[in-house]
Amino acid sequence: MDAYYDHVYRLAVVGDSGVGKTDICYRVVKQKFRTDPIPTAGIEYFPRIFYINHHPVKAQIWDLSGKEYYQVITKSHLRRVAGCFLVFDITSRQSFDNLNEWIKFVKQNLETPCIFYLIGNKNDLEKQRVVERNE
């Protein structure tokens, strides 16, 4: 039986391959860390129910592959996203510098307004950080 939700929001998680997008999704949905990182082939879907003021809200979290050859598939999943999480690896300057391209890619494929969120991942590797916090 399907549950009733007050709202359903489609969210996309984008960024370069290897920055930890799937690990973040897994952590949010399953509330534990993955021990077997495997690259995403195309798209992975992570549903999650949140309660806001005791009202059920469904998040449809779409983890989009960072590989360029999957972009034909991934762009259709961006059309009606309400929010987009831009993920970069704090130990990878290139993943941070590529965020402008990811923003452009998302905006070119949107049909509705979208809120962008920035996530600097791999904070456990602080000693290898190359992207400074103030950036």
Side-chain angles (χ1 to χ4, degrees):
M1 175 196 284
D2 288 335
Y4 170 78
Y5 310 108
D6 288 352
H7 298 284
V8 178
Y9 294 101
R10 183 180 292 201
L11 307 169
V13 182
V14 302
D16 285 0
S17 183
V19 297
K21 298 180 300 293
T22 304
D23 295 326
I24 289 170
C25 294
Y26 192 85
R27 176 75 172 111
V28 167
V29 172
K30 307 247 186 214
Q31 299 180 355
K32 57 183 176 178
F33 291 101
R34 280 186 356 160
T35 57
D36 59 340
I38 301 168
T40 301
I43 301 163
E44 283 195 49
Y45 173 67
F46 293 89
R48 172 85 193 264
I49 307 301
F50 294 94
Y51 288 87
I52 301 173
N53 297 326
H54 306 291
H55 296 280
V57 175
K58 183 173 185 177
Q60 297 177 338
I61 305 169
W62 295 93
D63 172 19
L64 308 182
S65 174
K67 300 277 188 197
E68 190 172 331
Y69 51 83
Y70 287 119
Q71 288 185 357
V72 171
I73 298 168
T74 60
K75 42 169 109 168
S76 66
H77 286 79
L78 292 170
R79 288 190 184 125
R80 290 180 301 279
V81 297
C84 183
F85 296 93
L86 301 159
V87 182
F88 70 96
D89 174 351
I90 67 165
T91 69
S92 168
R93 167 60 56 187
Q94 183 175 356
S95 73
F96 182 75
D97 291 343
N98 289 343
L99 290 175
N100 285 328
E101 292 302 314
W102 282 109
I103 292 168
K104 186 165 43 170
F105 176 72
V106 171
K107 285 183 174 182
Q108 288 172 343
N109 294 289
L110 286 174
E111 291 179 355
T112 57
C114 170
I115 297 172
F116 287 89
Y117 301 92
L118 181 63
I119 299 175
N121 199 24
K122 302 190 182 181
N123 288 310
D124 56 319
L125 303 175
E126 181 65 35
K127 290 182 180 178
Q128 291 135 16
R129 174 186 282 275
V130 296
V131 180
E132 296 303 322
R133 291 180 190 276
N134 64 348
E135 293 181 84

